Amino acid sequence: MTQPEMTQREELGMEQPTLVVGEALTDILSGPGVRRHAVPGGSPANVALGLARLGHPVQLATRVGRDGFGRRLREHLGESGVALTAGSVVDAATSTATASIAADGSADYRFEIVWELPSSTVYLARVGALAHLHTGSLAATLAPGAAGVLAVVDAARTRATVSYDPNLRPALLGAPSHERPRVERFVAAADVVKASAEDLGWLCPGENVEAVAAGWARSGPSLVVLTWGADGAQAFWPHGSLPVPAVPVRVADTVGAGDAFMSGLISGLLRAGLLGPERPARARLREATGTDRLAPAVVDALLLASRSAAITCTRPGADPPTAAELLG
């Protein structure tokens, strides 16, 4: 599909949906100068929300309860156009993450979470009309759902492109040596990977995180992005690397900034036709990252992601930008 054809298809509302697989939970924010309050969150849910606000059709396979937290989550996601897949709403408590906000806006998390994959998700990934699949975070590491998430990735990648964000939470994980093989199995199956320097520093102790990211870019993905928070990001592909500058802003907090970067990156690549139905999109992405210089469309998507993260940092909680805010 050419770029004009893809743009026309989007304008007609014919873009196939992105399926996001992973946790939706309630962030309970507290800390010095922060009034304790609860807001919808969860890394994959935040990515789904960001994509929907940027104009993409999105389905979210998750697990939320019928309690007050779950009702607010469903309303929050639905208001921006995120559709929950069958089996995502359960008769159980909604998971929570208590985020303690430090004076510099950074957040430290404590989780009360149960993760089970909706039973319909593998079938949907195998036979559904999908443009792209995104997953990661707790959903890709916590039993009993994590094994099912890998099966979803394997099923979906025969018909759609895949992105992955480890977004590791060490308090809920085993030793790095135990977690690394599973993380790198997801990396190898993905077309696009985003990971923070903090993620790789924990997962690969004693190793240079840039060297790890460069190695990942040679293991299967066409694009790996290492984020450094206020210091920007670094993009790696099989033939090189490129710094991505951060956008200076006045920071309210950093909650959801990495997720907003991810949704902005996916959106930019979708709009460029570099993610989408498996064969043509994957081939175009590999061509765009097939030399020592990234194609301009990839660079544009990275800059879009950086702006998306910056806007999110200017307001409390995980509140990704709309298309009007980001693209206007």
Side-chain angles (χ1 to χ4, degrees):
M1 187 187 305
T2 66
Q3 178 67 23
E5 289 172 336
M6 188 193 72
T7 302
Q8 182 181 33
R9 182 175 182 178
E10 288 181 351
E11 291 174 350
L12 294 173
M14 296 174 62
E15 180 185 350
Q16 292 178 328
T18 291
L19 174 62
V20 179
V21 179
E23 71 273 7
L25 47 79
T26 295
D27 285 329
I28 301 172
L29 306 182
S30 64
V34 177
R35 180 178 59 84
R36 183 179 174 88
H37 62 290
V39 296
S43 176
N46 292 339
V47 173
L49 181 70
L51 284 168
R53 288 185 177 179
L54 294 177
H56 302 279
V58 180
Q59 298 178 359
L60 174 63
T62 190
R63 180 188 185 277
V64 297
R66 302 184 193 277
D67 55 4
F69 283 158
R71 182 169 59 254
R72 178 66 188 107
L73 270 166
R74 298 196 303 275
E75 292 171 351
H76 176 68
L77 294 165
E79 286 166 357
S80 292
V82 178
L84 301 190
T85 64
S88 290
V89 182
V90 298
D91 292 318
T94 299
S95 297
T96 62
T98 299
S100 298
I101 309 299
D104 64 357
S106 62
D108 182 55
Y109 290 89
R110 177 172 54 82
F111 294 91
E112 294 183 15
I113 183 170
V114 174
W115 168 244
E116 293 177 328
L117 187 70
S119 59
S120 62
T121 312
V122 175
Y123 178 80
L124 177 61
R126 184 176 292 122
V127 305
L130 301 178
H132 181 72
L133 170 74
H134 173 73
T135 193
S137 194
L138 300 175
T141 57
L142 292 185
V149 174
L150 186 55
V152 169
V153 169
D154 288 338
R157 74 182 316 275
T158 64
R159 58 193 302 110
T161 49
V162 175
S163 58
Y164 169 63
D165 178 3
N167 197 26
L168 300 170
R169 304 300 185 188
L172 297 175
L173 302 177
S177 59
H178 174 76
E179 300 297 335
R180 185 170 180 172
R182 174 166 42 196
V183 169
E184 294 189 337
R185 173 66 180 84
F186 277 99
V187 169
D191 299 284
V192 175
V193 174
K194 181 198 78 73
S196 70
E198 185 178 13
D199 285 337
L200 295 193
W202 179 83
L203 188 69
C204 310
E207 297 185 42
N208 180 286
V209 295
E210 294 181 47
V212 173
W216 281 6
R218 295 188 295 269
S219 72
S222 292
L223 183 67
V224 174
V225 184
L226 177 64
T227 58
W228 297 92
D231 293 324
Q234 186 88 5
F236 297 85
W237 63 102
H239 307 282
S241 67
L242 179 75
V244 182
V247 177
V249 293
R250 188 181 184 89
V251 175
D253 66 46
T254 62
V255 176
D259 304 325
F261 188 104
M262 187 82 251
S263 58
L265 178 60
I266 294 170
S267 177
L269 295 174
L270 281 169
R271 290 178 182 276
L274 301 178
L275 296 178
E278 185 269 333
R279 292 187 185 279
R282 183 167 289 141
R284 284 193 295 266
L285 181 60
R286 291 198 181 282
E287 182 179 359
T289 59
T291 68
D292 60 353
R293 298 189 66 181
L294 285 177
V298 180
V299 177
D300 288 345
L302 289 163
L303 295 175
L304 191 80
S306 185
R307 292 200 300 274
S308 180
I311 291 171
T312 303
C313 286
T314 65
R315 45 212 196 192
D319 188 8
T322 64
E325 291 174 307
L326 186 58
L327 303 173

